[in-house]
């Protein structure tokens, strides 16, 4: 039974995957229940041909992942208020089932505290889910749904009331950790986040390091994330732990050089507004299995 909640979808594209984009749009069009209105944002590139009824926005320059998605949000009115829920989907993904939008409606309707849902990402050929795509420390069983402390950027659903209360994604980040920044602000405002293994986005298995700027952005944005959100006492602890983890992973010399360059940049460049989370939010994160020191 349709809950009546209006669902929209934001997809950003560089225009270089027209076949995958069309397949994704087809999978959204086949969703059960009321029609999901879709906005495709060309992030510094033209938008390939899309089906009739799909809105498009072409940006003159690449604003990065959070910047592009924020433009898509505003296409649904301030903070997306024209709909109740927004799906954020990678343009080379594919909704595996026809009931994902309806499951989102039901989940948000049933739980007034639920603010964000993270979908399970699975390889379309093997059905396997990479460990890094399970947004919790205990990631061995991707089929187990649970409360979590962050979400996957290209496979999720957000209640637009969350965006109205805490703001959108941090434009400054461009790429990496923007989801955790929004997740921490949402949790600090009292919202909860669920990982749902039954809501599946098919996506080819990839390595995040395929992006040339990966190591620098990951390090810089990690520092910005801490500076923006953590109580002052936890900032050096959090960043010290991540420095140690990075060294233990033994990256290549060029990768490590890029990482330290980004780490330095994170301390010396503006990170946007600081809103230190409450200590009760620190405790909430800890109870959910991921204290904000790792």
């Amino acid at each position: 039974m349709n809950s009546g909640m209006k669902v929209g979808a934001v997809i950003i594209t560089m225009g270089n995957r027209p076949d995958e984009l069309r397949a994704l749009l087809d999978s959204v069009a086949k969703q059960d229940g009321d029609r999901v209105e879709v906005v495709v944002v060309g992030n510094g590139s033209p938008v390939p041909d899309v089906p009739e009824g799909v809105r498009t926005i072409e940006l003159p320059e690449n604003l990065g992942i959070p910047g592009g998605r924020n433009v898509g949000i505003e296409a649904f009115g301030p903070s997306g208020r024209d709909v109740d829920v927004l799906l954020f989907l990678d343009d080379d993904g594919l909704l595996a089932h026809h009931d994902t939008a309806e499951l989102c409606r039901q989940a948000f309707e049933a739980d007034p505290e639920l603010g964000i849902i993270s979908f399970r990402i699975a390889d379309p050929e093997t059905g396997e889910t990479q460990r890094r795509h399970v947004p919790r420390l205990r990631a061995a069983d991707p089929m187990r749904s649970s409360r979590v402390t962050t979400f996957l950027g290209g496979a999720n659903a957000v209640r637009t009331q969350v965006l109205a209360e805490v703001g959108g994604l941090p434009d400054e980040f461009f790429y990496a950790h923007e989801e955790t920044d929004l997740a921490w602000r949402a949790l600090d405002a009292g919202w909860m986040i669920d990982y749902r293994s039954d809501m599946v986005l098919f996506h080819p298995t990839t390595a995040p390091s395929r992006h040339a700027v990966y190591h620098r952005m990951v390090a810089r944005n990690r520092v910005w994330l801490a500076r923006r959100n953590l109580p002052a006492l936890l900032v050096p602890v959090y960043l010290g732990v991540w420095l140690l983890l990075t060294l233990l992973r033994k990256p290549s010399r060029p990768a490590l050089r890029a990482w330290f360059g980004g780490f330095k940049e994170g301390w010396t460049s503006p990170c946007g507004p600081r809103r230190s989370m409450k200590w009760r939010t620190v405790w909430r994160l800890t109870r959910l299995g991921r204290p904000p020191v790792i």
Side-chain angles (χ1 to χ4, degrees):
M1 181 176 177
N2 197 314
S3 72
M5 297 189 86
K6 296 180 181 179
V7 178
V10 173
I11 301 165
I12 58 174
T13 183
M14 299 293 289
N16 56 351
R17 295 188 282 234
D19 294 340
E20 292 89 340
L21 175 61
R22 177 56 72 103
L24 170 62
L25 292 171
D26 288 346
S27 74
V28 174
K30 293 175 182 176
Q31 291 299 298
D32 298 337
D34 291 342
R35 176 176 174 270
V36 177
E37 185 179 350
V38 181
V39 170
V40 178
V41 179
N43 214 354
S45 67
V47 175
D49 289 338
V50 297
E52 186 177 352
V54 173
R55 288 191 288 162
T56 63
I57 300 171
E58 294 184 353
L59 302 177
E61 62 178 312
N62 183 356
L63 300 183
I65 293 172
R69 287 183 177 143
N70 283 337
V71 169
I73 291 169
E74 296 302 307
F76 290 93
S79 300
R81 69 183 181 191
D82 293 346
V83 293
D84 302 296
V85 175
L86 279 174
L87 311 180
F88 295 90
L89 306 169
D90 276 351
D91 69 341
D92 55 345
L94 179 77
L95 289 173
H97 308 301
H98 294 178
D99 63 351
T100 302
E102 189 60 20
L103 288 173
C104 287
R105 293 185 184 98
Q106 293 170 6
F108 285 120
E109 186 85 6
D111 186 353
E113 292 187 342
L114 181 61
I116 302 172
I117 299 172
S118 189
F119 301 163
R120 180 167 64 89
I121 292 180
D123 185 274
E125 295 185 2
T126 66
E128 293 182 1
T129 296
Q130 291 180 274
R131 188 180 181 92
R132 70 184 182 89
H133 284 151
V134 183
R136 59 176 179 243
L137 290 179
R138 296 178 180 177
D141 182 8
M143 301 308 294
R144 179 173 67 86
S145 299
S146 69
R147 293 282 203 205
V148 290
T149 61
T150 189
F151 62 98
L152 305 174
N156 67 80
V158 179
R159 191 192 295 264
T160 54
Q161 188 180 344
V162 174
L163 302 171
E165 285 189 19
V166 307
L169 296 156
D171 288 339
E172 304 94 331
F173 281 41
F174 197 85
Y175 163 78
H177 301 319
E178 66 271 7
E179 303 91 357
T180 300
D181 187 88
L182 176 57
W184 282 2
R185 285 183 280 126
L187 288 162
D188 197 48
W191 296 99
M192 301 301 290
I193 305 170
D194 277 357
Y195 166 71
R196 288 282 297 264
S197 65
D198 57 334
M199 301 183 189
V200 181
L201 184 84
F202 282 149
H203 189 283
T205 298
T206 56
S209 54
R210 70 189 185 280
H211 299 290
V213 296
Y214 171 76
H215 297 286
R216 180 176 70 87
M217 291 290 197
V218 162
R220 184 197 69 179
N221 292 0
R222 183 78 70 184
V223 178
W224 281 0
L225 181 68
R227 288 175 58 198
R228 286 164 59 96
N229 295 287
L230 290 181
L233 288 174
L234 293 184
V235 172
V237 180
Y238 177 81
L239 295 175
V241 168
W242 278 104
L243 172 60
L244 179 61
L245 287 173
T246 299
L247 295 174
L248 289 174
R249 289 168 179 168
K250 298 180 180 179
S252 67
R253 183 168 293 183
L256 194 60
R257 188 182 303 116
W259 193 93
F260 273 110
F263 193 78
K264 179 181 178 182
E265 184 182 349
W267 286 108
T268 58
S269 57
C271 63
R274 172 170 166 77
R275 301 185 186 91
S276 176
M277 68 175 62
K278 308 173 191 74
W279 281 103
R280 70 185 182 197
T281 305
V282 173
W283 176 236
R284 171 183 280 191
L285 288 162
T286 303
R287 286 189 291 111
L288 289 170
R290 189 148 198 165
V293 293
I294 188 170

